[in-house]
């Protein structure tokens, strides 16, 4: 029973997190740029794992108890994604290589990386629906011992995914020395950010 719960948690956690989204694209870009990769991957995993744990402990009902939080989180997340999308669009117009010809890392401050990772991990309401509500409600169906294994499996999937994305992206480093490649990546990132933000806004408008 425990092994089955562990595998179910890992598979479900992977299915939810692997879908291409704003957070994954951010981690991918950081990995390509070799920019604070460990910090970004670790913090992304810890955020996801913490939300899964919160949901498994039965606190998913907190969201239902405070429905007024959802609109605020939605608009805040949309504004952040639009802002990041505009910055990506600006980089696409005036491209620079993510990796210099000398193979030196173009590294931002650790504080900036942490703040951006927190924003991508916490400002998207869909993250809470997937981790706290969905995974939490499924975990609640298990007995306590099996629930622990379910949570471990789901959290392990998050750690494996984020670190795989962040560090496997380095294989594209030679390509990213070309400003044209950086332009393509930033264009994709900008479009994705605008698309996710639009989806959030339309969903919020439809629900009002």
């Amino acid at each position: 029973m425990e092994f089955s719960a562990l595998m179910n948690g890992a598979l479900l956690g992977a299915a939810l997190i692997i879908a291409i989204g704003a957070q994954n694209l951010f981690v991918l870009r950081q990995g390509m740029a070799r920019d604070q990769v460990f910090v970004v991957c670790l913090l992304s995993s810890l955020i996801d794992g913490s939300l899964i744990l919160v949901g498994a402990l039965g606190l998913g009902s907190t969201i239902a108890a405070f429905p007024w939080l959802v609109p605020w989180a939605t608009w805040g997340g949309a504004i952040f994604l639009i802002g990041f999308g505009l910055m990506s669009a600006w980089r696409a117009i005036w491209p620079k290589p993510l990796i210099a010809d000398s193979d030196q890392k173009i590294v931002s401050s650790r504080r900036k990386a942490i703040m951006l990772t927190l924003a991508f991990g916490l400002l998207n309401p869909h993250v809470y629906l997937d981790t706290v509500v969905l995974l939490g409600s499924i975990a609640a169906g298990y007995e306590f011992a099996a629930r622990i294994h379910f949570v471990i499996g789901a959290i392990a999937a998050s750690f494996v995914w984020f670190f795989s994305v962040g560090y496997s992206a380095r294989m594209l480093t030679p390509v990213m020395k070309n400003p044209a490649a950086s332009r393509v990546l930033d264009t994709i990132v900008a479009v994705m950010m605008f698309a996710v933000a639009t989806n959030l806004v339309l969903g919020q408008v439809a629900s009002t």
Side-chain angles (χ1 to χ4, degrees):
M1 180 64 177
E2 283 79 6
F3 179 76
S4 176
L6 179 72
M7 294 305 298
N8 287 340
L11 292 174
L12 183 57
L16 291 174
I17 200 173
I18 287 176
I20 295 298
Q23 186 181 32
N24 287 334
L25 275 178
F26 171 68
V27 175
L28 180 66
R29 192 183 193 283
Q30 293 296 111
M32 288 182 181
R34 295 185 291 174
D35 186 354
Q36 302 288 351
V37 182
F38 180 78
V39 172
V40 169
C41 292
L42 178 62
L43 188 54
S44 296
S45 303
L46 289 175
I47 291 172
D48 214 52
S50 299
L51 293 175
I52 292 171
L53 183 60
V54 165
L57 292 175
L59 297 182
S61 57
T62 302
I63 293 179
F66 298 96
W68 55 270
L69 288 175
V70 176
W72 282 98
T74 299
W75 288 110
I79 291 171
F80 167 75
L81 291 174
I82 290 172
F84 194 87
L86 289 173
M87 288 190 294
S88 298
W90 178 262
R91 288 195 298 264
I93 296 173
W94 305 101
K96 294 180 180 179
L98 287 180
I99 299 296
D101 290 333
S102 62
D103 281 337
Q104 291 182 336
K105 300 179 183 179
I106 302 176
V107 180
S108 60
S109 69
R110 180 169 297 180
R111 180 180 178 182
K112 178 182 177 181
I114 290 174
M115 296 303 293
L116 284 174
T117 306
L118 288 172
F120 275 106
L122 298 175
L123 288 182
N124 187 349
H126 292 166
V127 171
Y128 298 95
L129 295 177
D130 288 344
T131 55
V132 180
V133 178
L134 181 57
L135 285 176
S137 62
I138 295 175
Y142 289 95
E143 296 180 357
F144 183 76
R147 187 185 305 177
I148 295 298
H149 285 77
F150 179 89
V151 170
I152 291 174
I155 292 176
S158 292
F159 273 82
V160 171
W161 172 252
F162 282 121
F163 276 92
S164 296
V165 170
Y167 283 94
S168 64
R170 293 188 176 192
M171 293 186 293
L172 297 175
T173 292
V175 178
M176 289 300 110
K177 292 179 180 180
N178 186 340
S182 297
R183 169 176 284 163
V184 171
L185 176 62
D186 281 316
T187 299
I188 294 173
V189 171
V191 171
M192 176 61 70
M193 298 304 161
F194 292 144
V196 175
T198 300
N199 183 56
L200 288 176
V201 172
L202 292 178
Q204 180 58 37
V205 171
S207 65
T208 56

